[in-house]
Structure formats: structure tokens, C-alpha cells
Amino acid sequence: MEHGSPTAEFLGFTFNLANILMITVTSVIVFIIAVLATRNLSMKPTGMQNFLEWVVDFVKNIIKSNMDWKTGGRFHMLGLTLIMYIFVANMLGLPFSVVIDGKLWWKSPTADPVVTLTLAIMVVALSHYYGIKLNGFGHYMKGFFSPMWFLFPLKIIEEFANTLTLGLRLYGNIFAGEILLGLLAGGLATGVGGTVAAIIPTIAWQGFSVFVGAIQAFIFTMLTMVYMAHKVSHDH
Amino acid sequence: MFVLGAVAEHSGLNSGDIIFQLLMFLILLALLRKYAFGPLMGIMKQREEHIANEIEQAEKHHQEAKKLAEEQRALMKQSRQEAQALIENARKLGEEQKEQIIAAARAEAERLKETAKKEIEREKEQAVAALREQVASLSVLIASKVIEKELTEQDQAKLIQEYIHEVGEGR
């Protein structure tokens, strides 16, 4: 399904208005979920508070599995925002997509490589920043030449590879899911027979996409913490 | 300034999206920290402390209860011993008293028997003395009567018999 994207120029930057819309929608949904869940905080948690506390503990465990909590605690909020944002973003494209005048407006923001790579670069940049901040510049530079000095080129490549794989893995999974959903809905479901035939695979693929979306959100957060730990930890 | 792109295809990099995504993410992060996860983590921390406190308290209480039970047990043991001693004492005392009472009763009985015997002895002597006196006076009477009447031997014997008989009856 080839759709165009509604672009606009503003102050010399190119904006994909669909992305802008979906990023905003995702952020707002995440914020609303979080605020609704924490509106009536109590010592004895109920309902949504339980869920959000579970998320908090879940991210905490992800961080703890990579580094000790004393260093990792500062990434807690980052991990929480990442996992919730990416999960919601992944889910948004599943129920439907909106195409107006051949331009795709409603989709997962994570089905765009620009968005996912932005997140990936942000994460990697943060890992470098904290690597220097917590361990000092000397230790940070030494990381590129250990364990052997001639691994330096590989280390440089690794940084770019990390960034690319982190962003493109998310993009690829979500984009592929949406493409297939688009094919099932738009390509197969054209007459009565086609619609009936499309129902079961669509439902199955949507279920699978929910699974993939959740897994990708988890993987993104997990890898973020892995890269952070790699830069921040002392024994490397 | 806002010009909807006429070209449908991506014409190069959407640099604006990058900035917007970054900005939105940072805003979202800040908002979440301020309005959602900050308070949530606060309350989680509070609960953690609360639970730790409760556990500590419970442990303290448990310790106290244990100590109290120990004390109670010791007290119980002591009081049981005391009670045992008291009973023992009382029994001993009772035994002693019994002995004393029996001894006293025996002595009393002995004394009573003794006095009774003495009384009997005295009574008997009195009786004998009285009899003797009477016999003497009777003898005098008989003799006077005999003399008065000049009785036969048989009459005399008969008289004596009669008097003796009389005496026997009078006693």
C-alpha cells in the first residue's frame, strides 16, 4: 500500500504532518493514561495504580538486570517514558489507518524510520553523555580501545550499528505489521467473499501485532539500558 | 509559512519530525515525571518505608511477646514451687497438730481415768467406814434388845439375820 505523506515546510524544516499528529496523539494518550492512573494515589493501590506500579517495577527490573540500581536509577524515568510511549505508538496503527486524498494520516508514529531513528539516536547520545559524565572523559575514551587497541574501528562501527539497529528494528517490525494489515484490509477485503476471507487473517495478524508491539517496546527499553550500562559501568 | 507539500513522496529528510519528536519526547518525559511517575514513585517509596516500618514493629512486638512469655513461664514455675512448698508446710503442720491433739487427748483420758479410779476408791472407803459405823451401832442395838428380851438362841440368830438383812436393804 503506497501512500503519500502530508508534508509541510516551516522555517526551512520539512515536517511530515501525519507524524506530527501521531506523535502528539501518542504523547497525549500516554500522558492521559499516566495521569488517570495516578490521580487517586493511595497506600493500598487499586486498579490502574496497580497497573502503573507494575510498569514501574517492570522497568526497574529491566534496569537492574543491566546495572546496579545506584547508577541505573537515573534512567528509570527515561525507561518508563520510552516503554509507554513506544507501546502506545505501536498500538495506535493497529485498529485502523486513515488515508485522506492518498495521504496517510493515521498510523503508528513508530512506523516511520525518522521517528524511530530519532529515538535511537537520542538514546545513544544520552548513553555517551552519561558515559562521559559518570566515568570521566579518559575512561570514556579508553572504552574505545579496550580490550585491544586495534578493535577501535570495530568500536566505532559498533556505535553506528547499535543506533541503526535500535531504530530500524522497531521501524521494520511496526511498518511491516501495518503494511500487512493494509494489504489484508485494502487488498483482500474487496467484495463480500474477500471480506469474509480477510476477517480471520486480519484478526490473527492484529493479535500478533499487539504481541510484536509489546515485545518491541520491551526490546527497545531493554537495549537502551544495555547500551547505557555498557557506557556507564566501571568494569568495561 | 505553512505550505502543504504538493509532492506526495518523501523529498529528503523530514528534519522537522526529528526536532518535533525529540521535543515531544522530552516534554512528555518532564510531564510524566512531574504529574504521574513522580507522585507514584513517592507513594511507592512511602509504602516501602511503611512496610519496612511495620515489619520492624512486628518483629519488635514479637520479641517483646517472647520475652513476656518467658517471664510468665518463669513466674508460673516460681508460683507453682511456692504453692508446693505451702502445701508441704501445711501438711507437716497438720501432722504435728494431729500428733499433739492425740497426745493431749490421751493424756486427758489418762487423767480422767485416774481421777475416776481415785473417786471410786474414796467412795468405797467411805462406804466401808459408814458400814462399819452402822454395824457397830446395830450391834449395840441388838445387844440391848437381846438383853431386853432374853431371847433364845434361835431367836437371837433369827434377829441377827433380820438385822443383817435390814442393813443389807438399807444400804
Side-chain angles (χ1 to χ4, degrees):
Chain A
M1 292 280 98
E2 275 299 314
H3 295 295
S5 34
T7 52
E9 298 273 343
F10 182 67
L11 295 175
F13 295 113
T14 312
F15 287 88
N16 182 344
L17 293 181
N19 278 348
I20 307 290
L21 171 72
M22 293 318 294
I23 289 167
T24 314
V25 167
T26 310
S27 301
V28 167
I29 289 176
V30 169
F31 183 66
I32 287 174
I33 289 176
V35 167
L36 278 186
T38 55
R39 207 172 39 175
N40 295 317
L41 287 174
S42 66
M43 292 287 276
K44 293 172 196 153
T46 48
M48 284 291 282
Q49 193 189 339
N50 267 326
F51 167 70
L52 218 63
E53 284 191 6
W54 172 78
V55 175
V56 168
D57 276 337
F58 184 71
V59 174
K60 195 173 187 175
N61 283 335
I62 291 177
I63 296 174
K64 271 183 178 167
S65 67
N66 285 304
M67 49 194 139
D68 59 316
W69 184 243
K70 225 178 74 192
T71 11
R74 74 191 76 220
F75 307 128
H76 200 184
M77 205 57 75
L78 173 70
L80 276 170
T81 315
L82 271 178
I83 202 167
M84 286 188 71
Y85 179 80
I86 292 174
F87 179 75
V88 171
N90 291 350
M91 292 304 118
L92 279 187
L94 289 186
F96 51 82
S97 69
V98 178
V99 181
I100 299 171
D101 291 340
K103 295 191 172 63
L104 182 59
W105 278 92
W106 186 280
K107 61 191 187 80
S108 286
T110 42
D112 191 310
V114 173
V115 172
T116 60
L117 278 173
T118 303
L119 289 174
I121 290 169
M122 180 191 75
V123 161
V124 173
L126 275 177
S127 76
H128 284 271
Y129 168 71
Y130 277 109
I132 296 173
K133 187 186 172 195
L134 295 183
N135 287 340
F137 190 70
H139 192 278
Y140 166 75
M141 285 312 284
K142 225 165 64 190
F144 285 102
F145 296 98
S146 62
M148 300 289 178
W149 64 269
F150 55 81
L151 288 177
F152 175 65
L154 279 181
K155 289 275 182 179
I156 295 294
I157 293 171
E158 185 195 3
E159 293 304 326
F160 287 101
N162 280 349
T163 317
L164 273 177
T165 53
L166 186 62
L168 292 183
R169 176 187 304 108
L170 179 59
Y171 158 67
N173 274 287
I174 305 309
F175 187 62
E178 292 204 351
I179 287 285
L180 195 53
L181 277 180
L183 281 176
L184 284 170
L188 187 55
T190 47
V192 178
T195 308
V196 170
I199 286 175
I200 289 176
T202 304
I203 290 173
W205 188 254
Q206 276 186 331
F208 185 62
S209 287
V210 169
F211 175 68
V212 167
I215 288 289
Q216 285 306 319
F218 166 67
I219 288 176
F220 197 97
T221 314
M222 180 59 126
L223 282 176
T224 298
M225 293 312 157
V226 169
Y227 297 154
M228 286 286 186
H230 190 69
K231 289 280 178 246
V232 162
S233 63
H234 295 277
D235 41 68
H236 277 283
Chain B
M1 285 296 257
F2 256 97
V3 184
L4 275 172
V7 271
E9 298 310 310
H10 283 256
S11 56
L13 189 66
N14 292 333
S15 41
D17 290 3
I18 298 174
I19 295 164
F20 188 73
Q21 167 66 61
L22 257 180
L23 210 68
M24 279 309 276
F25 189 82
L26 291 180
I27 290 171
L28 181 65
L29 196 134
L31 284 178
L32 284 185
R33 183 202 291 272
K34 184 146 199 301
Y35 291 108
F37 288 118
L40 183 71
M41 281 170 185
I43 209 138
M44 282 171 89
K45 183 133 225 154
Q46 208 176 315
R47 183 184 315 133
E48 225 167 77
E49 278 162 15
H50 180 74
I51 289 171
N53 235 9
E54 289 294 294
I55 289 175
E56 212 167 272
Q57 208 114 44
E59 258 165 26
K60 221 161 64 186
H61 282 164
H62 179 70
Q63 219 65 30
E64 256 168 44
K66 230 164 142 186
K67 219 173 74 186
L68 267 178
E70 206 60 46
E71 265 171 35
Q72 219 56 27
R73 201 167 297 145
L75 268 177
M76 194 84 142
K77 205 169 157 191
Q78 198 186 330
S79 55
R80 193 170 293 149
Q81 273 173 351
E82 269 171 24
Q84 202 70 33
L86 273 179
I87 290 171
E88 204 61 41
N89 268 358
R91 188 176 293 151
K92 231 180 265 171
L93 209 69
E95 206 74 35
E96 259 169 42
Q97 266 176 352
K98 190 178 97 185
E99 292 295 324
Q100 270 178 6
I101 289 168
I102 289 176
R106 202 164 278 156
E108 180 73 14
E110 206 63 40
R111 200 177 55 77
L112 277 176
K113 221 162 83 186
E114 213 58 43
T115 45
K117 236 182 227 168
K118 266 183 204 156
E119 189 81 8
I120 290 166
E121 207 66 37
R122 217 183 55 218
E123 292 275 334
K124 201 170 92 190
E125 261 160 40
Q126 262 177 7
V128 169
L131 191 62
R132 219 171 258 157
E133 234 170 73
Q134 211 137 6
V135 167
S137 62
L138 277 178
S139 310
V140 172
L141 204 65
I142 292 164
S144 62
K145 281 210 174 151
V146 167
I147 294 160
E148 275 175 21
K149 283 186 181 177
E150 278 198 350
L151 293 172
T152 61
E153 221 170 324
Q154 278 144 332
D155 289 333
Q156 202 175 342
K158 200 179 146 202
L159 266 174
I160 291 169
Q161 277 304 318
E162 266 176 25
Y163 278 105
I164 286 176
H165 203 69
E166 231 172 282
V167 167
E169 265 173 21
R171 269 191 78 174

